[in-house]
């Protein structure tokens, strides 16, 4: 009997580096290894590589290259956005959604400890911020709002254009964490009513350890890491030139994929077939928004056919024993006793909030893996339900 190779269905946690990404990094390590601040030919080579990477990313995502600050990832970028912006503002209120990534929550709590008022924007049962709260939340003393564009655990997309436009009218700065969105839909970031936007390389087959903060030039942004004045003085430390080269290659690959598919994520039809196969199964129900969701993302809550919640961590391990690499909740927020804080914020009771499962797809799946995916996942889920039930 042929043994099936394991399937990686955890793109939203990290995506395997693509070959052109590794090639770009290798070339940079070989030819642009020097310190970009050095005033000799080796340094110029490294500085040139760094700036070419910055320009490639900015061109692909539709904003001027000077708006981009490289940093270590989405976590740091969100800290830079909130702490850097707040350091230049009078103290006031910060609003974040109830389903932010822990990185934004951590930065928000730091500001709270420094005297900022923190308001949490409630979400509905599918994870969309409740727009009825918008005017109240934007009233003084609100100075800063942060709303996650694409929720990593339940896939819901927020109406960030509407929120950003309202923030602009109210004179409030708006940050959005776009870590899960970049690479999955065409973007023209300059045209968005967003002041600060964060993303990271490793979710789109780029290297781990590099991310980006995009900030409008008219916005005062203090340094969040001091040092040698790199990255326009905002983020000290010798730049990760080879990682930036890999980041640029990953963005360009993702953009080319979107373009080839007419401006859509080519993974969406596969995700939709998978959803169509799973939804009829007893004890499987979609979590997050059906229409407005990340195109490569599928999340469900799993119970026995009679409705007893099944523990997410055991589901993940049972599925891995059957060759499927998936995740329950976010990779960054493991083991909460009362279940996922995201599902709790959406109104799920503690038992069910511990029964979430996420499957996120990527371009590495081969044609035959795609063909067999719906059947393979349905069979494995049924077997795990039977085993744990
Ligand atoms: C929505 C979101 N924001 C931020 C992050 C953190 O990014 P990084 O791992 O690059 O720090 C993640 C990673 O899981 C994420 O999913």
């Amino acid at each position: 009997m042929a043994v099936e190779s394991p399937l990686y269905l955890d793109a939203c946690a990290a995506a395997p580096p693509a070959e052109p990404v590794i090639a770009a990094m290798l070339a940079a390590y070989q030819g642009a290894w020097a310190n970009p601040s050095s005033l000799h030919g080796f340094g110029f080579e490294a500085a040139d590589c760094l700036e070419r990477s910055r320009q490639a990313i900015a061109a692909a995502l539709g904003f001027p290259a000077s708006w981009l600050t490289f940093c270590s990832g989405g976590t740091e970028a969100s800290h830079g956005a909130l702490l850097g912006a707040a350091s230049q503002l009078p103290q006031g209120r910060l609003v974040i959604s109830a389903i932010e990534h822990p990185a934004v929550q951590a930065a928000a709590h730091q500001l709270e400890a420094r005297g900022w008022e923190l308001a949490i924007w409630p979400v509905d049962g599918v994870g969309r911020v409740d727009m009825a709260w918008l005017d109240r939340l934007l009233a003084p003393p609100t100075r800063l709002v942060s709303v996650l564009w694409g929720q990593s655990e339940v896939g819901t997309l927020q109406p960030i254009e509407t929120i950003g436009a309202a923030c602009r009218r109210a004179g409030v700065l708006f940050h959005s964490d776009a870590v899960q969105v970049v690479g999955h839909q065409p973007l023209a970031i300059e045209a968005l009513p967003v002041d600060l936007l964060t993303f990271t390389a490793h979710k789109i087959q780029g290297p781990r350890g590099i991310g980006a903060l995009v900030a409008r030039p008219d916005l005062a942004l203090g340094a969040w890491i001091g040092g040698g004045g790199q990255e326009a003085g905002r983020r000290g430390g010798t730049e990760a030139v080879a990682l930036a080269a890999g980041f640029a290659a990953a963005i360009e690959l993702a953009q080319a994929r979107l373009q080839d598919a007419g401006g859509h994520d080519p993974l969406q039809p596969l995700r939709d077939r998978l959803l169509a196969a799973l939804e009829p199964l007893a004890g499987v129900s979609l979590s997050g928004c059906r229409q407005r969701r990340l195109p490569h993302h599928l999340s469900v809550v799993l119970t026995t056919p009679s409705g007893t919640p099944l523990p997410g961590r055991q589901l993940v391990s049972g599925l891995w024993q059957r060759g499927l690499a998936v995740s329950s909740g976010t990779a960054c927020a493991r083991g909460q006793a009362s279940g996922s804080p995201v599902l709790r914020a959406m109104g799920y009771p503690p038992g069910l909030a511990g029964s979430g499962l996420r499957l996120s797809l990527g371009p590495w799946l081969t044609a035959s893996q795609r063909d067999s995916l719906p059947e393979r996942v349905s069979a494995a889920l049924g077997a795990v339900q039977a085993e744990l039930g």
Side-chain angles (χ1 to χ4, degrees):
M1 192 182 87
V3 178
E4 289 177 304
S5 55
L7 287 187
Y8 188 74
L9 306 174
D10 208 7
C12 287
E19 284 299 329
V21 167
I22 295 170
M25 288 197 291
L26 185 61
Y29 274 125
Q30 285 168 338
W33 47 265
N35 190 323
S37 301
S38 294
L39 297 176
H40 46 59
F42 296 101
F44 300 154
E45 191 70 40
D48 186 54
C49 179
L50 183 68
E51 292 320 309
R52 275 188 283 113
S53 303
R54 194 187 313 273
Q55 279 164 17
I57 293 171
L61 301 180
F63 63 90
S66 59
W67 294 17
L68 192 161
T69 304
F70 283 120
C71 58
S72 67
T75 300
E76 185 188 330
S78 288
H79 277 73
L82 298 190
L83 303 181
S87 71
Q88 306 299 303
L89 292 169
Q91 245 173 31
R93 183 194 295 130
L94 162 68
V95 176
I96 66 170
S97 84
I99 53 170
E100 290 302 303
H101 186 271
V104 163
Q105 291 179 19
H109 288 307
Q110 279 196 41
L111 288 180
E112 196 179 23
R114 293 176 200 173
W116 278 66
E117 181 188 329
L118 178 61
I120 307 295
W121 193 347
V123 296
D124 63 16
V126 295
R128 296 198 89 192
V129 288
D130 183 347
M131 295 303 271
W133 283 76
L134 184 63
D135 289 341
R136 236 177 310 166
L137 288 172
L138 291 187
T142 295
R143 299 193 193 283
L144 197 50
V145 170
S146 186
V147 174
L148 178 58
W149 194 345
Q151 218 292 328
S152 48
E153 196 177 320
V154 295
T156 300
L157 293 167
Q158 303 295 344
I160 64 141
E161 287 92 344
T162 311
I163 298 169
C167 286
R168 213 153 260 188
R169 284 194 298 276
V172 167
L173 290 183
F174 180 45
H175 165 251
S176 184
D177 172 345
V179 160
Q180 297 291 356
V181 169
V182 166
H184 295 283
Q185 68 178 66
L187 293 174
I189 290 175
E190 184 172 8
L192 292 172
V194 173
D195 300 297
L196 296 146
L197 186 123
T198 55
F199 55 99
T200 194
H202 72 95
K203 310 286 186 192
I204 47 165
Q205 296 195 278
R208 285 95 260 268
I210 186 159
L213 170 59
V214 181
R216 293 199 166 267
D218 50 350
L219 178 139
L221 190 65
W224 59 97
I225 299 184
Q230 291 91 346
E231 295 297 296
R234 289 172 174 166
R235 203 268 183 181
T238 302
E239 302 91 334
V241 176
L243 299 185
F247 196 176
I251 294 273
E252 286 182 326
L253 273 176
Q255 285 306 113
R257 221 168 17 244
L258 287 169
Q259 218 161 33
D260 290 349
H264 297 286
D265 190 332
L267 294 164
Q268 182 160 349
L270 176 61
R271 191 281 309 277
D272 290 345
R273 277 198 289 125
L274 185 56
L275 176 60
L278 298 188
E279 270 201 307
L281 304 178
V284 175
S285 59
L286 181 72
S287 61
C289 191
R290 186 177 296 275
Q291 287 84 22
R292 300 254 319 154
R293 69 183 296 130
L294 293 164
H296 60 309
H297 184 292
L298 175 52
S299 54
V300 293
V301 167
L302 231 91
T303 66
T304 61
S306 61
T308 309
L310 295 171
R313 289 174 73 88
Q314 288 179 36
L315 287 169
V316 171
S317 120
L319 288 174
W320 176 238
Q321 282 158 23
R322 289 161 180 84
L324 301 178
V326 303
S327 114
S328 76
T330 59
C332 318
R334 298 190 213 128
Q336 268 102 354
S338 59
S340 143
V342 171
L343 292 176
R344 294 287 287 134
M346 289 162 58
Y348 283 77
L352 274 182
S355 302
L357 205 60
R358 176 184 73 192
L359 301 98
S360 44
L361 312 177
W364 50 86
L365 296 169
T366 64
S368 74
Q369 288 174 335
R370 289 168 192 231
D371 285 346
S372 62
L373 189 69
E375 201 185 315
R376 205 168 151 187
V377 174
S378 319
L381 271 189
V384 172
Q385 264 179 325
E387 182 180 281
L388 298 177

